[in-house]
Amino acid sequence: MNRKSFVYFLVAGILVLIFFMVKAVFDQPGIEDMKAGFKEVTKYRNANNTGPVQRIYIVTVKDSVWKEMEDYGNLMPHTKYGNTKVYFFMQNGNIPNTLQPGAINFDPSFNKNCIALFEKSAMSQTAFNKYPYQ
């Protein structure tokens, strides 16, 4: 193999490697690939950009696929030293449509309908609880 052939072979190999790396980046599974049928109903984010950011989401599902709910929670935005909560409800159930910051994020009359809660804390520790209010 002469030097010119080797350079072409090396460039072709690098291009193939780059192709597979780019393909892997764009082929990552996303929320739309999940079977649980997620639909974000409402969300809250405090306006405090200098301190802890609190994000709260109400999400409905058509099927209670626990692993997918946890994966969905992990895909949600999170800020270092902030807190992210995702409350899951069944699609056709009684669902809150307003949120407020603090320890109690929606009217407690909806607690019995909440099927799961995903929370990512200020230090990026996650917790996933099935039926958190029962």
Side-chain angles (χ1 to χ4, degrees):
M1 182 183 285
N2 64 21
R3 185 179 185 104
K4 192 174 183 180
S5 301
F6 177 74
V7 170
Y8 286 135
F9 182 75
L10 184 63
V11 169
I14 291 171
L15 289 174
V16 167
L17 183 63
I18 290 171
F19 169 77
F20 283 109
M21 289 171 59
V22 170
K23 184 178 183 294
V25 167
F26 290 107
D27 281 349
Q28 295 294 317
I31 293 169
E32 58 279 345
D33 298 320
M34 297 179 177
K35 295 177 177 77
F38 297 100
K39 182 180 177 198
E40 188 177 295
V41 175
T42 189
K43 64 184 173 183
Y44 169 86
R45 184 195 186 280
N46 63 335
N48 187 358
N49 289 324
T50 59
V53 174
Q54 186 176 20
R55 289 183 170 92
I56 308 164
Y57 299 89
I58 299 291
V59 176
T60 60
V61 294
K62 62 181 178 183
D63 190 11
S64 59
V65 181
W66 304 114
K67 176 68 175 127
E68 283 192 0
M69 286 187 227
E70 188 170 3
D71 291 344
Y72 181 94
N74 278 312
L75 290 172
M76 298 307 282
H78 181 72
T79 305
K80 187 175 181 180
Y81 304 119
N83 184 283
T84 300
K85 292 181 186 177
V86 183
Y87 294 95
F88 295 96
F89 292 80
M90 291 307 291
Q91 188 174 14
N92 295 323
N94 202 8
I95 306 159
N97 50 14
T98 58
L99 292 167
Q100 66 258 0
I104 300 172
N105 302 123
F106 52 84
D107 186 330
S109 67
F110 294 103
N111 285 358
K112 66 182 183 299
N113 299 322
C114 181
I115 61 168
L117 168 61
F118 175 90
E119 186 169 6
K120 188 178 276 192
S121 71
M123 297 308 289
S124 295
Q125 295 176 328
T126 62
F128 180 72
N129 298 309
K130 301 173 188 175
Y131 304 105
Y133 298 108
Q134 295 180 4

